[in-house]
Amino acid sequence: MIAIIDYGMGNLRSVAKGFEKVGIDARVTNNPRDLSSAPGVVLPGVGAFSDAMGSLLQQGMVEAINRVVEEGKPFLGICLGLQLLFESSEEWGTTKGLGLLPGRVKKLPSGVKIPHMGWNTLTFKRACPLFDGIPENSAFYFVHSYFVDPSDPTNIAGVTEYGIEFASVAARNNVFGIQFHPEKSSALGLQILKNFGRLVEKC
């Protein structure tokens, strides 16, 4: 059973239904103890970075997340969940993130319409198990105003163009993050969830 973290922000039920569609058992939980018994964990979310971190800290989820990652369990951040993986965000000042990946979250450039909303393509930068069965330059659905800027380029698995080239998929060891919404990205989005489920099954 994959644990989907409920911290009061995001499209939790639609992510759970996405896993259900590909035959993977995933359940929403706001109990940190459930993470210890789950073989894989997903951190979804939409909204403000600082509010999200505040909720995770209040619920005791930060320590639970750190344990999951240290134990080597597959961990996936989606949209805001990707951004929370990094060290800090400049949204509404500077807010400390989970620090699982080095780098910062920055606002998209002013020369483009914000938020970045709609379908856009993903270009692979390196091999990643989330890409199994995904053709190069496939389109996925995005909704965001900020992007991640990893300080270690080897953690960038995929990029997308929107005014700038930004990291839309990050990966290091058992930690993965995607900026787009797989549950809103039709069959290829569901394939991403299926690929993560396969990683969990192997552990």
Side-chain angles (χ1 to χ4, degrees), residues 6 14 45 74 152 168 198:
D6 177 8
S14 59
D152 184 350
S168 50
R198 286 173 176 169

Side-chain angles (χ1 to χ4, degrees), residues 29-37 56 58-65 67-68:
T29 179
N30 59 8
N31 189 337
R33 288 176 293 183
D34 290 339
L35 273 59
S36 62
S37 59
L56 290 172
Q58 186 177 25
Q59 291 181 332
M61 283 291 184
V62 173
E63 291 182 5
I65 289 170
R67 284 196 299 270
V68 165

Side-chain angles (χ1 to χ4, degrees), residues 39-121:
V41 176
V42 175
L43 178 65
V46 294
F49 188 101
S50 58
D51 290 345
M53 279 304 302
S55 295
L56 290 172
L57 286 165
Q58 186 177 25
Q59 291 181 332
M61 283 291 184
V62 173
E63 291 182 5
I65 289 170
N66 287 333
R67 284 196 299 270
V68 165
V69 173
E70 289 171 2
E71 291 169 0
K73 296 178 182 180
F75 189 93
L76 174 65
I78 297 175
C79 194
L80 178 59
L82 160 69
Q83 297 175 11
L84 292 167
L85 299 178
F86 286 80
E87 294 170 302
S88 66
S89 172
E90 66 178 29
E91 184 180 2
W92 305 111
T94 300
T95 303
K96 184 179 179 181
L98 294 170
L100 299 175
L101 296 174
R104 297 196 305 154
V105 178
K106 301 178 180 179
K107 191 167 188 177
L108 287 167
S110 58
V112 295
K113 185 177 180 180
I114 296 175
H116 172 209
M117 182 181 296
W119 295 85
N120 205 341
T121 55

